[in-house]
Amino acid sequence: MNLSAPLSFAFATLISLAPPVFAKDEVSPDGVKVDKMSSLRNLVSEEELEAAAAQQYNGMMQQARQQGALAPDDHPEVQRLRKIAKDLIPHAVRWNERAAQWKWEVNLIGSKEINAFCMPGGKIAFFSGIINNLKLTDDEVAIVMGHEIAHALREHGRERAAKSGLASAGARIAGLGLSAVLGIDPNLAGAATGGLANLTMLKFSRDDETEADLVGLDIVARAGYDPRAGVALWRKMGMVSQSNTPQWFSTHPAGKSRIAEMERHLPTVMPLYAKAKGVQPTALPPYQTNVKGIAPIR
């Protein structure tokens, strides 16, 4: 960061005055374990980042509505997404106590984009393209949603903003000049106003992506969704990417190593899933997705 001395002093003061950390690292003796979060995120006010996210999200939804792209509340896919979110959200608080205060929202935008996101503060949106093109099962929707929720819970956006040196001395979010890497429809992305960053376009590091995968698997398993669906999801993504490169894929790098990391942690999360289903792990049948060419996952 290229900071002036006064600004550096202001940042140091902000850290020293920061309230106790709400997001947690090792939250229980079972489930996945992750590294401690970077203290750099304290350079950015969580309240102001969440307020900025809410402003942008509301603007995007309003613009989508004006374009006839926002699915109504009674749409079957909206109801499915919200039901899955309702199952996952109670298991989010164990990772970040602020999640209990978030005003969660889940919406569906009609678009061919293979994309989904969760903004800081629990603002979730799916694009119909990711559901339709990948023929997502409920378990696979949960994997996508859990992963995106995990980014918000682990405050990756807050950390990215801080590392970019884009917080003011008062922790005011101001013009985060970040590249449009998530492929949001520019007409919808333009809904972000007031010079604020479009938080749906934030690219996370590979470590952040891995952490979101693992925390997402933990949340999904506790909610009673099969974490093995994550392996099937990325195999589906690999099949789709043979003909084109979906935007969600480009910002969520996959490949054999990512699938292998998820498989490596299945023994940790499968007992959580079995407990949620009320059976012994050995009684769980293999996970079978709905696309030919993907073998059952044990």
Side-chain angles (χ1 to χ4, degrees):
M1 291 183 192
N2 182 18
L3 303 173
S4 64
L7 189 55
S8 297
F9 175 77
F11 278 175
T13 301
L14 177 61
I15 292 176
S16 67
L17 296 178
V21 175
F22 285 96
K24 300 178 181 179
D25 298 306
E26 185 173 323
V27 299
S28 65
D30 60 357
V32 302
K33 305 295 188 295
V34 294
D35 294 334
K36 291 184 179 296
M37 295 191 297
S38 171
S39 60
L40 282 174
R41 73 191 191 287
N42 292 320
L43 298 177
V44 176
S45 164
E46 53 199 358
E47 292 87 355
E48 293 197 29
L49 187 66
E50 290 167 11
Q55 178 185 357
Q56 292 176 17
Y57 185 85
N58 291 338
M60 287 184 68
M61 296 309 109
Q62 181 178 358
Q63 195 154 355
R65 185 180 296 107
Q66 292 171 351
Q67 296 175 4
L70 185 65
D73 292 340
D74 60 356
H75 191 288
E77 286 294 348
V78 173
Q79 294 181 349
R80 178 163 80 121
L81 290 172
R82 290 178 179 174
K83 193 274 179 185
I84 293 171
K86 186 177 179 180
D87 293 337
L88 299 185
I89 288 170
H91 303 281
V93 178
R94 68 189 302 113
W95 289 99
N96 191 326
E97 292 177 3
R98 286 189 62 79
Q101 306 169 23
W102 289 351
K103 296 180 179 179
W104 293 85
E105 293 186 50
V106 183
N107 282 294
L108 175 66
I109 297 173
S111 169
K112 294 181 180 180
E113 295 285 353
I114 298 180
N115 217 336
F117 62 83
C118 177
M119 286 182 168
K123 307 302 183 184
I124 301 170
F126 271 63
F127 288 68
S128 58
I130 195 169
I131 298 173
N132 299 333
N133 292 346
L134 297 182
K135 298 180 175 60
L136 296 183
T137 66
D138 285 358
D139 293 289
E140 291 158 10
V141 168
I143 290 291
V144 173
M145 191 178 293
H147 174 96
E148 297 302 329
I149 286 174
H151 277 307
L153 295 173
R154 298 296 293 167
E155 301 181 1
H156 291 157
R158 190 179 173 203
E159 181 181 345
R160 290 293 101 190
K163 286 183 176 179
S164 298
L166 297 168
S168 70
R172 179 173 51 87
I173 311 305
L176 300 184
L178 299 168
S179 60
V181 295
L182 291 191
I184 302 298
D185 183 325
N187 293 324
L188 296 175
T193 59
L196 298 169
N198 194 318
L199 298 171
T200 68
M201 296 182 176
L202 198 59
K203 182 174 182 178
F204 300 115
S205 70
R206 185 173 296 275
D207 287 345
D208 288 345
E209 292 296 338
T210 298
E211 184 174 89
D213 277 347
L214 302 184
V215 172
L217 288 181
D218 187 284
I219 292 170
V220 163
R222 294 179 192 276
Y225 293 93
D226 197 326
R228 295 170 296 185
V231 176
L233 169 69
W234 285 105
R235 288 178 179 167
K236 280 186 178 183
M237 290 293 287
M239 295 168 68
V240 171
S241 68
Q242 291 176 3
S243 57
N244 59 77
T245 303
Q247 292 296 334
W248 200 76
F249 186 84
S250 67
T251 55
H252 296 71
K256 294 182 180 179
S257 60
R258 184 166 194 165
I259 292 175
E261 185 70 12
M262 297 179 78
E263 290 177 329
R264 189 169 71 86
H265 283 82
L266 286 180
T268 301
V269 295
M270 288 303 291
L272 303 177
Y273 173 55
K275 182 178 180 180
K277 302 299 285 186
V279 301
Q280 292 297 316
T282 54
L284 292 169
Y287 178 76
Q288 178 65 67
T289 190
N290 54 2
V291 171
K292 292 182 180 180
I294 299 179
I297 302 166
R298 299 183 181 278

